[in-house]
Amino acid sequence: MEIREKGSEFLKEELHKAQKELQLKDEECERLSKVREQLEQELEELTASLFEEAHRMVREANMKQAASEKQLKEARGKIDMLQAEVTALKTLVLTSTPASPNRELHPQLLSPTKAGPRKGHLRHKSTSSALCPAMCPTAGHPLTPDKEGKEVDTTLFAEFQAWRESPTLDKTCPFLERVYREDVGPCLDFTMQELSALVRAAVEDNTLTIEPVASQTLPAVKVAAVECSSTNTCALSGLARACRHRIRLGDSESHYYISPSSRARITAVCNFFTYIRYIQQGLVRQEVEPMFWEITRLRKEMSLAKLGFFPQEA
């Protein structure tokens, strides 16, 4: 009996130990199960976040690609338009000669009755009253000498040749500084100094517009106490003259009536600037000497216009 009781106590102790170990294992299993569930939840959240971020990046990439394609399409359209404009401009330049000037390239040759007071009719961005035959070698017009004698001034030629190597509109370079001092400045030096300065700036900026006017009276514009409400007073000289043209500066809506003499002076300067812009843009493909003589002819036009000589209008 004693041995049986001892055996029973031993078995009870072993059973108690086994139950305690089993309970600990259950608790460990429960803890590990919670950890697994937490990891699975975090993994799902991370996966969802990654998918959302991936979708966002794809959407942004698609939007950027669409914007880039749109900009590329617009840029190609602008390039095509500019190429067409350059081709048209070169065609106009190469098909215009003194004997047969292109009327589209030289709108100042149109009579006032045919042209009419159309807005922006004559903007000296691409006009020149008479381009040298050297500009149209493809038309078969060789450079012919004038009847009057002429001789190259070596100083002037050297200044022009130096400018031709690197064309610029900077008026501090020796070539343009001389032309400004001897021709452009005097030619645009009108009685009305304030308006003269505005005209000179517009010519330099290539924003001057000359329009033929009709017989009807247009809105009044006052400059330096001179009433320009009719076509009988030149806004630049202040003299009573029949004004068949008017000028507009930039995008301003104000117009100023000018006499034929004032128009000839402005046109002569604009023709000079137009030609040097052609050279700067590479549209005049000729030797230096023919270019120099065309420059000299344009300077001669400015000098004659300053002295009061101008062609009679039809």
Side-chain angles (χ1 to χ4, degrees):
M1 290 295 294
E2 186 176 350
I3 295 173
R4 184 181 297 176
E5 289 178 359
K6 288 182 179 180
S8 176
E9 290 178 3
F10 176 77
L11 291 175
K12 287 181 180 179
E13 289 178 0
E14 291 294 327
L15 178 61
H16 181 70
K17 289 180 181 180
Q19 289 177 345
K20 190 173 182 180
E21 291 177 0
L22 183 61
Q23 184 179 1
L24 292 174
K25 291 184 180 295
D26 289 340
E27 292 177 355
E28 182 68 14
C29 289
E30 185 178 357
R31 185 182 67 81
L32 292 176
S33 178
K34 291 182 179 180
V35 171
R36 185 188 64 181
E37 291 177 357
Q38 183 178 0
L39 290 176
E40 289 178 351
Q41 183 179 0
E42 291 179 356
L43 181 61
E44 290 178 359
E45 293 178 354
L46 179 60
T47 303
S49 177
L50 290 175
F51 273 110
E52 184 179 353
E53 182 69 15
H55 285 302
R56 185 184 64 80
M57 294 175 66
V58 170
R59 285 196 304 270
E60 291 180 354
N62 291 335
M63 292 175 62
K64 290 180 179 179
Q65 181 180 0
S68 299
E69 291 177 353
K70 182 180 179 181
Q71 292 177 356
L72 178 61
K73 185 177 180 181
E74 293 176 353
R76 287 176 176 173
K78 291 180 180 179
I79 291 174
D80 293 339
M81 180 181 65
L82 291 175
Q83 289 178 342
E85 290 180 355
V86 170
T87 302
L89 179 59
K90 288 184 178 179
T91 302
L92 290 176
V93 172
L94 296 177
T95 57
S96 178
T97 67
S100 180
N102 192 306
R103 296 285 174 168
E104 294 182 2
L105 182 63
H106 311 290
Q108 67 267 33
L109 298 178
L110 297 174
S111 62
T113 56
K114 291 182 180 180
R118 184 160 51 93
K119 181 178 180 181
H121 170 74
L122 193 157
R123 183 181 293 272
H124 284 280
K125 285 186 176 179
S126 56
T127 60
S128 178
S129 61
L131 297 178
C132 178
M135 292 188 61
C136 45
T138 58
H141 297 282
L143 190 65
T144 57
D146 296 337
K147 294 182 179 179
E148 60 183 358
K150 59 183 182 182
E151 181 178 350
V152 174
D153 185 298
T154 55
T155 302
L156 300 181
F157 185 76
E159 291 177 353
F160 172 73
Q161 195 170 20
W163 176 85
R164 179 64 184 86
E165 294 297 326
S166 181
T168 176
L169 297 181
D170 183 7
K171 54 188 176 183
T172 61
C173 69
F175 165 65
L176 287 183
E177 190 277 331
R178 179 187 294 274
V179 176
Y180 266 89
R181 184 180 70 252
E182 297 179 358
D183 303 304
V184 175
C187 198
L188 296 182
D189 185 17
F190 295 98
T191 304
M192 301 302 171
Q193 293 293 317
E194 182 180 354
L195 183 57
S196 296
L198 296 177
V199 169
R200 176 170 172 171
V203 170
E204 293 175 353
D205 295 337
N206 202 20
T207 58
L208 177 77
T209 303
I210 302 180
E211 303 172 348
V213 296
S215 58
Q216 67 267 25
T217 302
L218 296 172
V221 177
K222 291 186 178 181
V223 178
V226 175
E227 183 70 21
C228 301
S229 59
S230 69
T231 58
N232 298 322
T233 303
C234 178
L236 287 167
S237 66
L239 300 176
R241 296 289 186 271
C243 302
R244 298 182 180 180
H245 291 81
R246 65 183 184 178
I247 59 175
R248 183 164 56 85
L249 309 178
D251 296 328
S252 172
E253 296 299 326
S254 300
H255 295 83
Y256 307 92
Y257 296 105
I258 57 173
S259 64
S261 175
S262 298
R263 172 179 177 261
R265 291 166 66 174
I266 296 174
T267 302
V269 177
C270 288
N271 289 340
F272 169 78
F273 276 104
T274 298
Y275 188 69
I276 65 174
R277 287 191 183 100
Y278 282 164
I279 296 176
Q280 184 189 33
Q281 295 167 7
L283 298 177
V284 183
R285 302 184 181 277
Q286 192 49 261
E287 298 297 330
V288 176
E289 187 171 347
M291 292 186 191
F292 173 76
W293 282 117
E294 176 64 9
I295 290 289
T296 304
R297 186 189 68 79
L298 294 171
R299 294 185 63 184
K300 178 182 177 181
E301 284 188 359
M302 288 189 281
S303 298
L304 291 174
K306 169 60 180 174
L307 294 174
F309 294 96
F310 58 91
Q312 292 288 342
E313 298 179 0

